[in-house]
Amino acid sequence: DAACDRLTESEVAARVAQFGADVMMIGHIGSTQAHPCTLRTLRAAKAALPHAVTVYGGVHPTYHCKDILSSHSEVDLIVRGEGEATALDLVSTLAAWKQSTTQRGYPCDLSRVQGIVWRKDGQLVTNPSRAPVHDLDAYRIGWELVHDWDKYQAFGLGRSAVVQFSRGCPHACTYCGQWMFWKRWRHREVVKFADELEWLHRKHDVRWFWLADENPTTNKETWKRVLEEIAARNLPVGLCGSVRAQDIVRDADLLHLYKRAGFLYVLI
C-alpha cells in the first residue's frame, strides 16, 4: 500500500524482495501523472528481483503500451483495458510454465493470453483484446485485504472507501479517454451494491464513500433505483461521485433522493 504508507521506491522494492515475488503488478488511479513514479518503482523492484515478471496496467499504459515497452526494459508486460480476467489468465499461464520448467523469469509463450502486449524474441507482440467484463458482480472486492481501516479517512468524516457501481460511459467526449478504455456502460446489481455499502458501514464503520464510476447517472431509472435503495437503508454516511452537469439538471425531481441517500458533494 505504497501511497497510503508514503513508501519510497526503494522501500517498495525491499518489501517485494522480502516477499520473494514471482510476478509484480502495478497500476495507479492517477494514471498519467503517476507514470514517472510507476516507472521508478518498477525499476527499483526489477533491480531487487531481476527474475520476477513486471506487469503494468491502467489507462495510461493501455494507450502508450508500445512506447513504454520500447523504451523501458523494467516493464515486461502491459495489460490493456480491464485487468481482472486478464491478470488471472496471465498469472495462471506463468504459473503453469514455471511448474513445467527449471527456468526462472519470463521467456514463455504468452500468445494465448488476451489483452496483453509483450516481447517475443525482442519484438513487441500485441495480443487480441479481451472483451469487457460482462458481469461486474462476478469479481468480488477483497475488502479483507484492508487490515487497518483507520488509515483510510476523508474530509474529517471518518473511515472511507472507494466503491464502484458502474463502468464506462456512452458519451464520446474529445477531452476524455475513459469511454475508449472501459468501452460500453455496464452496472452492478442495484441491491447487491447497496448491500455492500451497508455491510461496509456496519462491519467496518465506513462513513464516507467515493463512487469511482465514470458516469453513474447514465440511465435515470437505474440511478433512481440506486438512490432509493441506499436511502432505504437510512445509513449515517456521506457520498460523493462524478456527475455530468446535464444529469444534475435532468434529475431536478430526484435531488431530494440524492440528499436522502447521503450525497454531500458531486464532482461536475
Side-chain angles (χ1 to χ4, degrees):
D1 201 351
C4 183
D5 291 337
R6 305 292 193 270
L7 302 181
T8 64
E9 290 87 7
S10 60
E11 287 172 328
V12 173
R15 293 192 184 190
V16 168
Q18 184 179 29
F19 182 70
D22 295 308
V23 181
M24 300 182 286
M25 294 186 170
I26 192 167
H28 199 289
I29 193 169
S31 195
T32 297
Q33 57 268 46
H35 176 63
C37 176
T38 300
L39 290 178
R40 291 196 305 270
T41 303
L42 282 176
R43 201 172 300 129
K46 193 72 168 176
L49 275 179
H51 297 295
V53 180
T54 52
V55 184
Y56 186 12
V59 177
H60 183 91
T62 291
Y63 294 141
H64 299 278
C65 50
K66 293 183 179 179
D67 291 339
I68 294 170
L69 285 174
S70 297
S71 306
H72 299 282
S73 59
E74 63 270 28
V75 183
D76 290 325
L77 302 161
I78 285 178
V79 170
R80 295 184 298 120
E82 291 178 327
E84 289 93 341
T86 301
L88 181 60
D89 191 8
L90 172 61
V91 170
S92 298
T93 302
L94 290 170
W97 173 82
K98 183 181 178 182
Q99 291 174 356
S100 65
T101 180
T102 58
Q103 299 183 66
R104 297 186 66 192
Y106 139 68
C108 68
D109 187 3
L110 300 172
S111 301
R112 72 164 197 81
V113 181
Q114 296 179 343
I116 66 169
V117 183
W118 57 296
R119 300 186 190 91
K120 182 177 183 179
D121 301 326
Q123 302 297 313
L124 296 186
V125 179
T126 302
N127 288 6
S129 299
R130 187 178 295 271
V133 174
H134 175 70
D135 180 7
L136 296 183
D137 288 307
Y139 291 88
R140 71 173 187 83
I141 297 95
W143 294 114
E144 71 276 6
L145 298 176
V146 178
H147 299 297
D148 183 3
W149 279 95
D150 286 333
K151 291 168 61 175
Y152 311 98
Q153 304 201 23
F155 303 112
L157 297 174
R159 293 178 174 184
S160 63
V162 177
V163 294
Q164 186 181 58
F165 170 66
S166 66
R167 286 182 180 176
C169 180
H171 304 283
C173 301
T174 57
Y175 60 82
C176 178
Q178 296 284 11
W179 61 277
M180 291 185 288
F181 181 88
W182 298 106
K183 309 302 181 186
R184 60 187 178 80
W185 188 74
R186 298 145 285 154
H187 66 84
R188 296 175 57 189
E189 205 280 320
V190 172
V191 174
K192 287 184 179 179
F193 176 67
D195 284 345
E196 183 176 27
L197 301 192
E198 183 174 14
W199 178 83
L200 284 167
H201 172 68
R202 302 199 187 284
K203 176 73 173 179
H204 297 291
D205 195 30
V206 175
R207 294 176 177 272
W208 170 257
F209 293 98
W210 181 284
L211 270 67
D213 304 39
E214 291 72 43
N215 195 346
T217 59
T218 292
N219 181 286
K220 181 174 181 176
E221 289 307 310
T222 300
W223 181 236
K224 180 182 177 183
R225 287 173 53 216
V226 171
L227 296 173
E228 289 174 336
E229 192 65 40
I230 297 174
R233 313 299 173 101
N234 196 29
L235 303 174
V237 300
L239 283 79
C240 179
S242 300
V243 181
R244 288 171 64 89
Q246 70 184 54
D247 288 353
I248 292 292
V249 175
R250 178 201 71 186
D251 291 348
D253 60 328
L254 298 183
L255 293 183
H256 67 287
L257 276 178
Y258 278 68
K259 187 67 174 178
R260 282 181 52 209
F263 265 90
L264 300 180
Y265 312 100
V266 292
L267 181 65
I268 298 291

